[in-house]
Amino acid sequence: GQFVMSGFIEMSMPLWLRNFMSRGLAIIPSLIVSILAGPAGANDLVVLSSVVLAFHLPLALVPLLKFTDSPLKMGVLANGRLLSWTSWLLGSVVVGANTVMIWQTCFEPLIDSAPEHGVPWQLLGMLLVAAAYFVLLGYLIFLPVSKPADLPDDVMVPPEPLVEPLMDSERNEL
């Protein structure tokens, strides 16, 4: 929030006021839910926020991994092969764990209630949203990084060396 306020919208305020506002915006809604709904409501709020974060994390993680792997964006500071494979493996584990948590939290309760009430429309809607989500995630994964970043000269990837033509005397030696 600090960078957005100071850099993008050019809004500055004293540090204590900025901290008070940002903490208040984060705490007040949770406090209201806890007071009105009690411990069960607070627990449900934690679960809901975890599901929302699990849903959004891959949409930030995949572009981050792609950009840090790309010499077009990172220059000579781009991830090496081992770091790239390791980060994609760990990212896949995180996305997989989030998918399991979302499945257990959102889908399983609807599936468990299906024998009693038939297939609920919410389940079909959620399956469509999940399919669209995974299509978007696949698009982000396979979309090539094509626009180079404006990097300082000491970070830029040097251009491939040009092969100099052989002199006639060197050709004769071959």
Side-chain angles (χ1 to χ4, degrees):
Q2 172 186 352
F3 293 109
V4 171
M5 288 178 63
S6 64
F8 292 119
I9 59 176
E10 297 178 11
M11 182 178 174
S12 63
M13 62 179 60
L15 180 62
W16 69 269
L17 182 59
R18 183 176 56 231
N19 287 340
F20 179 74
M21 287 179 57
S22 64
R23 300 315 186 268
L25 288 173
I27 293 173
I28 290 173
S30 302
L31 185 62
I32 291 170
V33 168
S34 297
I35 291 170
L36 295 177
N43 185 49
D44 291 344
L45 183 64
V46 169
V47 171
L48 176 66
S49 66
S50 296
V51 168
V52 169
L53 289 172
F55 196 72
H56 287 94
L57 180 64
L59 300 177
L61 184 62
V62 168
L64 176 68
L65 292 175
K66 288 188 63 114
F67 288 162
T68 57
D69 284 349
S70 171
L72 283 174
K73 294 289 184 190
M74 296 295 294
V76 295
L77 302 175
N79 292 343
R81 190 170 301 222
L82 178 62
L83 180 58
S84 176
W85 279 95
T86 305
S87 60
W88 279 99
L89 176 67
L90 292 174
S92 299
V93 168
V94 168
V95 170
N98 286 342
T99 303
V100 168
M101 195 256 308
I102 291 171
W103 180 266
Q104 290 175 342
T105 305
C106 299
F107 288 89
E108 279 186 1
L110 291 173
I111 292 171
D112 291 343
S113 69
E116 302 160 8
H117 307 291
V119 177
W121 290 104
Q122 298 97 336
L123 179 61
L124 295 176
M126 288 173 58
L127 288 173
L128 287 174
V129 169
Y133 177 76
F134 282 110
V135 167
L136 172 63
L137 198 56
Y139 174 76
L140 289 175
I141 290 171
F142 294 109
L143 180 71
V145 177
S146 59
K147 294 183 180 176
D150 187 21
L151 299 172
D153 290 337
D154 60 336
V155 179
M156 298 261 313
V157 174
E160 293 294 321
L162 297 175
V163 178
E164 294 182 22
L166 294 175
M167 305 283 280
D168 286 337
S169 60
E170 293 173 326
R171 280 192 192 137
N172 291 340
E173 292 175 5
L174 296 176

